[in-house]
Amino acid sequence: MRKMLIAGNWKMNLDREHATQLTSSILESSGDSGPDIVLCPPYLLIPPVLEIVRDSRIQVGAQNLFWEKKGAYTGEISASMILNAGCTHVIIGHSERRQIFGETDISVQRKTAAALEAGLIPIVCVGETLEEREEGRTEIVIERQISGGLERIPQEILGDIIIAYEPVWAIGTGQTATPETAQEVHKQIRSWLKDTYSKSLAEDVRILYGGSVKGENAAELFGQDDIDGGLVGGASLDAEGFAQIIAAAR
Ligand code: PEP
């Protein structure tokens, strides 16, 4: 049985005061049981957030990394630095990084390999644009992103990898994929994992849905066979809304 997971992607939002308030509220409402919870604040807010969730079941992740271990890479952060700060997870290949910062399947592959080698759990994001969906290319695009992003990474180290299906047209738009549409792609991703690796790996890997998840639509999405939780952007900045999403995953 795969355990549900709710990850909050705070993106480039919040200052220290609001981040600590939000974290305390999430901690208070999260209870002792329920889905796994991962908060992904901007790098500089990771230490204060970790301080609050220490000894709780809430884990913390970064939103990006650079694949090299150390060196002259101004402005970058390595996987071991993220791990050393106390994080367990890292988001890789978010569509904003692909679209705004020019990330490719090759950079996603290098980052995913670096995260796994360091002992971080990568949340690898894939998703088609509206144009690609309208042209009937969703399946091809998702397969290209997954096979490119995981290429040459041996099954033995794939371990706890998490995949997030985030249709680009649903991110931050309020236009959520219907549960059926999301389930169709999640199922496709799981079949790809089975055909490429093994049945047991395909059954173990958690596939999150992301794209305008809210308290109102979360339960129906999480009720689908192959949806194992959510990667939540906007609604993760609101303690009450995020608590509703967590409650929907119990
Ligand atoms: C995201 O940024 O990963 C995301 C899914 O955003 P939103 O929930 O705001 O659509």
Side-chain angles (χ1 to χ4, degrees), residues 201-219:
L201 185 119
E203 280 171 1
D204 286 349
V205 169
R206 289 185 284 187
I207 307 174
L208 311 181
Y209 168 78
S212 300
V213 176
K214 300 183 216 66
E216 304 86 66
N217 57 30

Side-chain angles (χ1 to χ4, degrees), residues 2-8 34-38 123 162-167 176 179 182-183 186 190 204-214 217-233 242 245-250:
R2 297 179 296 273
K3 189 165 184 207
M4 296 287 269
L5 187 151
I6 305 298
D36 287 343
I37 301 169
V38 181
I123 302 176
I162 293 163
I163 292 170
Y165 168 56
E166 300 206 303
T176 320
Q183 164 60 20
H186 282 234
R190 210 174 295 290
D204 286 349
V205 169
R206 289 185 284 187
I207 307 174
L208 311 181
Y209 168 78
S212 300
V213 176
K214 300 183 216 66
N217 57 30
E220 226 191 319
L221 284 161
F222 301 160
Q224 302 297 309
D225 285 352
D226 292 294
I227 301 185
D228 307 310
L231 177 54
V232 185
F242 197 56
I245 294 170
I246 291 170
R250 280 177 204 277

